[in-house]
């Protein structure tokens, strides 16, 4: 229905969930992934197959599935799956042709490493990586000058970091993202995580000052020129073609968020689109063909 | 389908005392540690004595093996036992053990279970009492006792400040500063192999015990009457995971089975006081052989 109302602009984001969902809904995390992927497959089949059909699922057995209306986009809206680097999520996305977006708020070289891992996995599944197969979650605030951006964004950013990241993207307190009590990852994935992470390190929500945040690159505030430059640097480094941007933070006044979004749409996005298109055309010669094939 | 028991050709043998083997049970490997002569006892472990975590062979099994034929089985996903994705319920797990007992040619045996293992042992005993010569439960989960819930081990298995497991050690041991507790569940990041042993145990436990009913089966209490053989209940004095009221409930439903409270210990009495547990178990099993 939303796809119809938006003339085919729906992007479907499916999220497996972590501790908050496991503890609140009393569902063991061990089964979460198999439930999740069955759900994804059921939804995409309901979008594409003529009903009624029977879904012989382990978790959601349904005798009659028959949705109306079908989405406007054919074969179906793009599916985006967030992940924090787990191999399984990347593999399952690659298998289904879904797009992967990195939600773990690591940036710069860590984003590049994630892109490398995902593109390898995409290739292992017989397809070719291109920048629109992946996205990155980050936060942006645009104002007239760098100083003004920092001044206007500060209160909302700190409110967001201090109050809205409990148990997630924060070392302080009890983590609820994943772990032994929320063991959704296989032992193989967990081993990989242990080998590539350092316990007790500071996460996004632990930043003590603006300089740390700014250096982290997950929250970018500045003039249109600054924001454009920093996002373009990330695009060049990582080869990622989609950003999922948080424009509103914590208790930020709505008019500030709207002003920032307006500046982004008029003074950042057009140049970014053009420059990234040129860059991708050079680095990914068969991109047009791939997009034609995928869409 | 073949049921190959591979005791003849051990795949792994790291312990000079104990025989260890992966036993193929209808295509799934089960990790078995075996030692000693005498009456066979099957041991089902808890969180704190996953085989490999406290040395190759946990201390209680070592003590028991001096007098008895100990067969310790690692759950699916634990130690070198293969994880089995198709197991969802306690019923599935009991069928798994029927296969394991068949593969090991175990017809009658003494059954000992700690923590979650106590729950599994009780569930087996009420269904197949004829197999069980005696039943010993140490800090067993499994029962619903109104007003005395089993604490949430999954919540506290998530570290605080990314590093600290004080609350987990509180539930599993007499106190967070417990020496053995800090060896088995250290703060920060432990040795990779040990981290994976703990993680495997939590994967297993979450599969059967995360969703309500939480680490128990409301119907088990009424079913305990099906087991009429000898039973012994051993509990830590300061069990913060499974309140002592559960020991009393087990005792009551198992023909007023004796309760042995081990002073100064917490939930993981089998690793906090292995000698005291072994003495009591050997005496009890000896009297009922």
């Amino acid at each position: 229905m939303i796809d119809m109302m938006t003339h085919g602009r729906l992007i479907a984001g499916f999220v497996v969930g972590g501790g908050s969902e496991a503890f609140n809904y009393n569902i063991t995390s061990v089964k979460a992934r198999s439930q999740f992927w069955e759900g994804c497959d059921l939804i995409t089949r309901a979008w594409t197959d003529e009903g009624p059909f029977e879904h012989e699922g382990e978790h959601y057995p349904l005798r009659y599935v028959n949705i109306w209306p079908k989405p406007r986009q054919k074969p179906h809206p793009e599916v985006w799956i967030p992940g924090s680097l787990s191999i399984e999520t990347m593999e399952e996305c690659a298998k289904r042709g879904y797009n992967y977006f990195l939600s773990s708020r690591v940036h710069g070289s860590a984003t590049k490493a994630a892109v490398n891992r995902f593109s390898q996995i995409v290739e292992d599944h017989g397809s070719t990586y291109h920048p629109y197969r992946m996205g990155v979650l980050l936060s942006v605030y645009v104002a007239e000058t760098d100083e003004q951006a920092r001044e206007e964004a500060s209160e909302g950013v700190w409110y967001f970091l201090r109050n809205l990241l409990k148990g997630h993207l924060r070392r302080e307190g009890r983590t609820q993202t994943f772990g032994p009590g929320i063991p959704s990852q296989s032992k193989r994935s967990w081993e990989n995580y242990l080998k590539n992470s350092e316990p007790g390190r500071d996460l996004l929500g632990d930043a003590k000052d603006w300089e740390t945040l700014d250096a982290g690159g997950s929250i970018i505030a500045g003039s249109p020129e600054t924001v454009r430059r920093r996002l373009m640097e990330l695009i060049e480094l990582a080869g990622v073609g989609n950003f999922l941007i948080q424009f509103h933070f914590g208790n930020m006044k709505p008019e500030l968020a709207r002003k920032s979004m307006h500046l982004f749409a008029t003074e950042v996005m057009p140049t970014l689109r053009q420059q990234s298109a040129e860059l991708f055309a050079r680095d990914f010669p068969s991109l047009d063909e791939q997009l034609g094939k995928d869409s | 389908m073949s049921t190959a028991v591979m005791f003849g050709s051990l795949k792994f043998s790291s312990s000079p005392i104990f025989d260890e083997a992966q036993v193929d049970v209808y295509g799934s490997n089960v990790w078995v540690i075996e030692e000693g002569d005498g009456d066979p006892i099957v041991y089902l472990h808890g969180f704190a004595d996953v085989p490999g975590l406290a040395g190759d062979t946990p201390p209680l099994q070592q003590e028991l093996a001096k007098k008895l034929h100990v067969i310790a089985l690692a759950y699916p996903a634990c130690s070198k036992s293969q994880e089995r994705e198709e197991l969802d319920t306690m019923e599935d797990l009991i069928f798994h053990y029927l296969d394991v007992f068949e593969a090991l040619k175990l017809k009658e045996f003494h059954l000992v279970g700690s923590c979650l293992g106590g729950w599994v042992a009780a569930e087996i005993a009420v269904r197949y009492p004829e197999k069980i010569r005696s039943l010993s439960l140490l800090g067993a989960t499994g029962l619903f006792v109104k007003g005395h819930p089993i604490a949430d081990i999954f919540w506290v298995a998530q570290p605080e400040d990314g590093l600290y497991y004080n609350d987990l050690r509180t539930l599993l041991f007499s106190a967070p500063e417990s020496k053995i507790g800090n060896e088995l569940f250290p703060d920060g990041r432990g040795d990779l192999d040990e981290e994976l042993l703990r993680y495997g145990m939590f994967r297993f436990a979450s599969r059967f015990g995360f969703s309500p009913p939480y680490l128990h089966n409301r119907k088990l209490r009424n079913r305990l009457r099906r087991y009429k053989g000898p039973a012994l209940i051993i509990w830590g004095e300061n069990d913060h995971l499974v309140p002592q009221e559960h020991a009393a409930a087990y005792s009551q439903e198992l023909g007023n089975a004796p309760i042995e409270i081990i002073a100064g210990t917490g939930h993981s009495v089998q690793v906090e006081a292995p000698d005291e547990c072994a003495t009591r178990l050997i005496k009890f099993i000896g009297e009922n052989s």
Side-chain angles (χ1 to χ4, degrees):
Chain A
M1 189 68 88
I2 295 171
D3 200 45
M4 283 295 176
M5 291 165 69
T6 59
H7 303 283
R9 290 189 295 161
L10 175 69
I11 293 173
F14 301 143
V15 188
V16 70
S20 311
E21 290 75 20
F23 286 107
N24 286 324
Y25 298 110
N26 291 306
I27 297 169
T28 171
S29 301
V30 176
K31 308 288 289 182
R33 285 176 188 238
S34 103
Q35 271 178 286
F36 174 72
W37 292 111
E38 185 186 321
C40 291
D41 291 341
L42 172 60
I43 291 169
T44 47
R45 188 177 172 204
W47 280 342
T48 49
D49 279 16
E50 280 302 316
F53 63 81
E54 179 167 358
H55 174 67
E56 298 175 318
E58 183 196 341
H59 305 289
Y60 307 105
L62 295 169
R63 185 57 55 87
Y64 302 106
V65 183
N66 193 14
I67 67 156
W68 185 91
K70 301 276 190 214
R72 177 170 156 151
Q73 295 176 79
K74 300 296 170 198
H76 62 71
E78 276 186 47
V79 176
W80 284 85
I81 308 283
S84 337
L85 289 166
S86 103
I87 305 169
E88 283 155 353
T89 305
M90 289 185 174
E91 285 174 345
E92 297 297 326
C93 281
K95 245 185 243 174
R96 293 168 174 81
Y98 293 170
N99 298 330
Y100 179 84
F101 87 80
L102 187 63
S103 62
S104 55
R105 295 283 191 158
V106 291
H107 288 281
S109 57
T111 305
K112 175 67 186 159
V115 172
N116 289 345
R117 184 185 290 180
F118 185 58
S119 58
Q120 183 60 50
I121 287 173
V122 167
E123 268 160 44
D124 292 345
H125 286 79
S127 186
T128 314
Y129 176 80
H130 64 70
Y132 302 111
R133 292 297 306 271
M134 225 178 120
V136 171
L137 171 67
L138 42 72
S139 311
V140 167
Y141 187 83
V142 193
E144 288 72 5
T145 64
D146 286 352
E147 294 71 33
Q148 199 177 333
R150 177 173 167 171
E151 193 179 311
E152 289 172 0
S154 278
E155 188 186 341
V157 166
W158 289 117
Y159 185 102
F160 169 68
L161 296 177
R162 296 282 171 265
N163 300 307
L164 305 181
L165 288 180
K166 288 182 179 160
H168 184 60
L169 289 173
R170 187 180 208 173
R171 174 186 52 76
E172 199 185 312
R174 202 185 294 285
T175 173
Q176 289 171 51
T177 312
F178 50 72
I182 311 158
S184 60
Q185 304 189 40
S186 66
K187 280 166 83 175
R188 177 178 69 114
S189 242
W190 183 244
E191 182 174 3
N192 191 63
Y193 167 78
L194 292 176
K195 283 178 179 165
N196 293 294
S197 66
E198 181 199 332
R201 75 187 190 289
D202 276 354
L203 300 171
L204 179 68
D206 301 302
K208 300 283 183 292
D209 52 58
W210 189 269
E211 284 64 35
T212 311
L213 272 185
D214 197 50
S218 176
I219 297 182
I220 296 173
S223 67
E225 172 52 31
T226 300
V227 171
R228 206 159 52 219
R229 177 178 52 78
R230 294 196 60 182
L231 291 180
M232 201 56 217
E233 281 167 7
L234 182 59
I235 294 170
E236 281 173 358
L237 173 74
V240 168
N242 291 296
F243 288 139
L244 186 70
I245 297 179
Q246 173 197 25
F247 282 105
H248 183 267
F249 311 86
N251 63 346
M252 179 179 275
K253 289 189 174 66
E255 54 268 30
L256 288 177
R258 275 198 288 271
K259 178 166 77 87
S260 163
M261 287 169 79
H262 184 75
L263 282 170
F264 185 87
T266 54
E267 299 192 28
V268 178
M269 205 162 68
T271 320
L272 217 54
R273 270 207 174 127
Q274 190 202 334
Q275 289 179 354
S276 61
E278 287 164 13
L279 177 79
F280 296 153
R282 194 189 69 212
D283 291 353
F284 300 88
S286 57
L287 183 61
D288 283 348
E289 188 191 327
Q290 285 176 304
L291 291 176
K293 193 177 67 186
D294 288 357
S295 62
Chain B
M1 276 189 278
S2 67
T3 307
V5 182
M6 302 186 299
F7 282 105
S9 55
L10 294 180
K11 279 190 177 173
F12 299 91
S13 190
S14 51
S15 160
I17 309 166
F18 277 73
D19 280 342
E20 304 172 328
Q22 274 179 320
V23 177
D24 185 328
V25 180
Y26 293 105
S28 171
N29 282 325
V30 176
W31 184 241
V32 182
I33 300 173
E34 191 180 22
E35 176 62 15
D37 298 313
D39 282 351
I41 74 164
V42 168
Y43 181 83
L44 298 170
H45 62 84
F47 284 96
D49 59 343
V50 178
L53 192 56
D56 284 341
T57 311
L60 173 61
Q61 284 87 316
Q62 291 185 23
E63 286 303 311
L64 292 175
K66 290 176 183 168
K67 303 279 183 191
L68 299 157
H69 177 194
V70 180
I71 300 156
L73 307 170
Y75 304 118
C78 294
S79 294
K80 294 168 190 134
S81 285
Q82 203 172 321
E83 186 156 23
R84 293 187 63 188
E85 292 294 343
E86 75 277 21
L87 305 187
D88 297 325
T89 62
M90 183 53 74
E91 209 59 33
D92 296 335
L93 188 63
I94 289 163
F95 275 98
H96 168 77
Y97 281 111
L98 288 179
D99 288 340
V100 173
F101 299 150
E102 182 190 87
L104 297 177
K105 300 185 169 60
L106 282 165
K107 290 204 166 58
E108 282 181 42
F109 47 85
H110 300 275
L111 187 54
V112 182
S114 297
C115 174
L116 197 57
W119 176 20
V120 181
E123 295 274 10
I124 293 170
V126 297
R127 286 168 179 78
Y128 304 99
E130 69 282 0
K131 289 185 183 297
I132 312 303
R133 288 191 192 164
S134 75
L135 178 66
S136 303
L137 307 175
L138 296 80
T141 68
L143 292 187
F144 171 73
V145 180
K146 197 169 172 54
H148 303 283
I150 297 169
D152 188 353
I153 195 166
F154 300 103
W155 178 250
V156 298
Q158 292 297 113
E160 279 193 295
D161 293 353
L163 292 170
Y164 304 111
Y165 293 97
N166 289 306
D167 294 344
L168 177 61
R169 289 194 297 269
T170 300
L171 290 195
L172 286 179
F173 303 95
S174 55
E177 55 275 9
S178 146
K179 184 168 171 289
I180 183 78
N182 278 277
E183 282 170 23
L184 297 173
F185 293 85
D187 289 329
R189 178 88 37 95
D191 172 75
L192 182 66
D193 290 342
E194 294 191 355
E195 289 290 346
L196 290 172
L197 287 169
R198 285 186 279 270
Y199 191 75
M201 180 62 193
F202 275 102
R203 287 263 306 173
F204 170 79
S206 184
R207 196 176 283 278
F208 298 99
F210 185 89
S211 305
Y214 175 77
L215 283 178
H216 67 268
N217 171 4
R218 278 202 182 221
K219 297 191 174 168
L220 176 60
R221 193 165 175 171
N222 255 333
R223 292 174 179 172
L224 285 174
R225 63 171 178 253
R226 299 284 315 145
Y227 175 75
K228 296 179 177 68
L232 174 67
I233 317 292
I234 298 178
W235 228 261
E237 183 188 23
N238 307 306
D239 191 326
H240 307 297
L241 179 67
V242 191
Q244 264 188 36
E245 284 79 2
H246 290 239
Y250 267 120
S251 165
Q252 190 190 332
E253 307 300 339
L254 290 168
N256 291 319
I259 302 176
E260 300 273 0
I261 301 293
I262 312 287
T265 63
H267 172 70
S268 302
V269 59
Q270 76 277 22
V271 297
E272 293 178 273
D275 295 353
E276 287 93 324
C277 291
T279 307
R280 286 162 173 81
L281 285 167
I282 289 166
K283 179 168 176 287
F284 166 71
I285 291 168
E287 287 165 1
N288 291 287
S289 288

